[in-house]
């Protein structure tokens, strides 16, 4: 029997109203239904603003079907909210943000009021119309691809992922990275700041970002690699010229290690294409435009022999919000998802 169009346009059965989602009864219901993985997803959405269904699947689920089913439950419970951006051709994946009930759960976990999270549902949904939506999704795709690789191997792991907002809070007076990450193997570890390029900025502006990182290195005394992710190899070649020009004029070039990579260098035939592959080309002033050996993410320290190992990841600085929750400051969620647990009360 064909479903009538007016039925499809009706309210989704079981979707809680805002008033019901904020009730004590609803919170009690969620206490019996939300798994550790669900709560991790809520924390990830609070930290990184928006994730697509495919990104959440890569980060936490074994299949698209299981991801869709669980996200539907979370949506019906108003733990998450969702939207689907317009595309000229084809259809975009569903995009998810933290919902009102999810914010209440997250606040309660840390002994805070919802307002102390700095959360408002209209602001959370506002990312749907933000001109930086594509950029934010691109940054999050970079890191969720690394999480997917972490889940597929026991030898490598993404052990830290900070959002642009958190980076701005710590370093914003000097530079605002698009993200901070830390990659660990059985033999070594590397940390980095990410600059995610969508091809819309001038290459001169891309190059001048190194000045801010040089100031940060001078202020902290820490040389942290800057990884610049570009959409194409052609764009990468132009960016390397602009970067080399600025890098050569820095007072201490060794304090700002730089490497570039292009998305079209990823091998689509691999099981988990990710920035951990051999796509990274370190920047040297003498070889800015010439092809050289590309490194895996784990091999990059070999390109900078004098680079000291990262400090203890649990204490990257003295700010208390890296360890405990305070009003408007939650600790960064682990990028490693908890194990899935049987959910006997899915409905």
């Amino acid at each position: 029997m064909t479903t009538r169009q007016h039925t499809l346009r009706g309210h989704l059965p079981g979707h809680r109203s805002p008033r019901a989602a904020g009730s004590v009864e609803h919170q009690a219901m969620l206490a019996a239904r939300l798994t550790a993985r669900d709560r991790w997803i809520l924390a990830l959405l609070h930290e990184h603003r928006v994730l697509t269904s495919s990104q959440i699947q890569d980060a936490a689920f074994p299949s698209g079907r299981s991801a869709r089913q669980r996200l539907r439950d979370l949506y019906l419970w108003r733990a998450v909210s969702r939207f689907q951006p317009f595309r000229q051709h084809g259809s975009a994946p569903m995009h998810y943000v933290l919902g009102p009930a999810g914010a209440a759960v997250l606040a309660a976990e840390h002994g805070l009021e919802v307002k102390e999270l700095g959360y408002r549902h209209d602001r959370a949904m506002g990312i749907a119309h933000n001109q930086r939506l594509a950029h934010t999704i691109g940054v999050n795709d970079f890191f969720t691809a690394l999480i997917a690789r972490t889940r597929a191997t026991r030898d490598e792991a993404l052990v830290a992922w900070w959002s642009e907002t958190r980076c701005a809070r710590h370093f914003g007076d000097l530079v605002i990275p698009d993200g901070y990450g830390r990659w660990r193997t059985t033999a070594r570890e590397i940390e980095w700041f990410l600059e995610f390029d969508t091809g819309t900025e001038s290459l001169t502006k891309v190059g001048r970002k190194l000045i801010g990182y040089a100031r940060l290195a001078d202020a902290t005394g820490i040389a942290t690699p800057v990884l610049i992710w570009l959409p194409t190899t052609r764009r990468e070649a132009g960016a390397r010229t602009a970067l080399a020009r600025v890098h050569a004029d820095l007072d201490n070039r060794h304090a700002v290690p730089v490497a570039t990579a292009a998305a079209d260098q990823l091998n689509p035939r691999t099981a988990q294409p990710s920035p951990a592959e051999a796509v990274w080309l370190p920047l040297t002033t003498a070889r800015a435009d010439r092809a050289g050996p590309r490194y895996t993410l784990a091999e990059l320290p070999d390109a900078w022999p004098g680079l000291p190992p990262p400090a203890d990841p649990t204490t990257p600085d003295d700010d208390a919000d890296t360890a405990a929750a305070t009003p408007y400051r939650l600790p960064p969620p682990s990028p490693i998802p908890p194990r899935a647990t049987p959910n006997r009360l899915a409905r």
Side-chain angles (χ1 to χ4, degrees):
M1 180 178 177
T2 303
T3 303
R4 294 184 178 275
Q5 286 294 316
H6 73 83
T7 303
L8 293 175
R9 287 194 292 267
H11 294 293
L12 193 61
H15 192 207
R16 301 299 193 276
S17 68
R19 180 180 296 275
S23 67
V24 174
E25 293 78 12
H26 187 66
Q27 294 301 311
M29 181 275 291
L30 288 179
R33 286 167 169 76
L34 292 182
T35 66
R37 184 175 60 182
D38 295 334
R39 296 172 187 274
W40 179 78
I41 291 171
L42 300 181
L44 218 61
L45 288 174
H46 177 67
E47 174 79 10
H48 302 292
R49 299 192 67 186
V50 58
L51 293 167
T52 67
S53 54
S54 57
Q55 289 170 350
I56 296 174
Q57 175 190 331
D58 286 345
F61 290 92
S63 68
R65 181 174 181 271
S66 61
R68 288 190 298 272
Q69 287 180 336
R70 194 57 182 169
L71 287 171
R72 180 180 182 276
D73 289 337
L74 294 176
Y75 170 72
L76 291 176
W77 299 333
R78 294 188 75 94
V80 302
S81 295
R82 67 189 187 186
F83 63 91
Q84 190 172 29
F86 171 79
R87 276 188 181 175
Q88 191 70 37
H89 302 286
S91 58
M94 199 65 72
H95 289 49
Y96 290 87
V97 301
L98 185 64
V105 168
L106 200 57
E109 278 189 344
H110 294 282
L112 302 173
E113 299 291 334
V114 172
K115 64 181 180 181
E116 292 180 308
L117 291 181
Y119 173 85
R120 277 179 40 183
H121 189 232
D122 58 340
R123 289 179 181 172
M125 288 296 292
I127 188 69
H129 308 286
N130 194 304
Q131 293 183 354
R132 287 174 56 84
L133 173 62
H135 180 270
T136 303
I137 290 296
V139 172
N140 293 351
D141 204 49
F142 179 99
F143 284 101
T144 52
L146 292 176
I147 297 176
R149 186 179 179 100
T150 298
R151 297 175 61 217
T153 177
R154 297 182 179 180
D155 300 328
E156 301 174 298
L158 181 69
V159 295
W161 173 19
W162 286 12
S163 65
E164 179 182 1
T165 301
R166 189 174 297 274
C167 288
R169 189 159 64 239
H170 287 267
F171 317 114
D173 54 337
L174 297 171
V175 68
I176 303 179
D178 292 324
Y180 165 84
R182 189 180 288 245
W183 186 249
R184 178 185 296 162
T185 69
T186 53
R188 62 177 63 182
E189 194 166 321
I190 180 175
E191 63 179 347
W192 71 90
F193 292 121
L194 175 68
E195 286 292 336
F196 188 91
D197 177 73
T198 58
T200 58
E201 285 185 325
S202 71
L203 293 177
T204 299
K205 186 174 181 180
V206 172
R208 289 186 62 81
K209 291 181 179 181
L210 297 186
I211 298 173
Y213 287 105
R215 292 171 179 164
L216 179 62
D218 183 60
T220 61
I222 302 173
T224 304
V226 180
L227 304 188
I228 302 173
W229 186 259
L230 301 117
T232 64
T233 306
R234 181 177 180 180
R235 172 80 173 176
E236 182 188 18
R240 289 178 65 81
T241 300
L243 290 163
R245 189 179 302 116
V246 176
H247 198 257
D249 291 336
L250 298 179
D251 292 336
N252 185 1
R253 296 193 296 271
H254 298 293
V256 189
V258 180
T260 63
D264 61 6
Q265 286 283 328
L266 292 177
N267 183 358
R269 293 185 295 274
T270 59
Q272 297 289 344
S274 79
E277 296 176 21
V279 295
W280 294 102
L281 190 58
L283 181 73
T284 60
T285 304
R287 301 187 60 178
D289 299 317
R290 295 170 55 191
R294 291 191 181 259
Y295 293 73
T296 66
L297 187 57
E299 293 169 344
L300 271 177
D302 295 336
W304 307 300
L307 184 69
D312 182 354
T314 61
T315 56
D317 55 40
D318 295 328
D319 197 319
D321 79 349
T322 61
T326 59
Y328 304 102
R329 300 287 189 272
L330 295 189
S334 168
I336 301 175
R339 289 185 177 181
T341 54
N343 182 34
R344 293 170 297 174
L345 296 172
R347 296 294 189 274

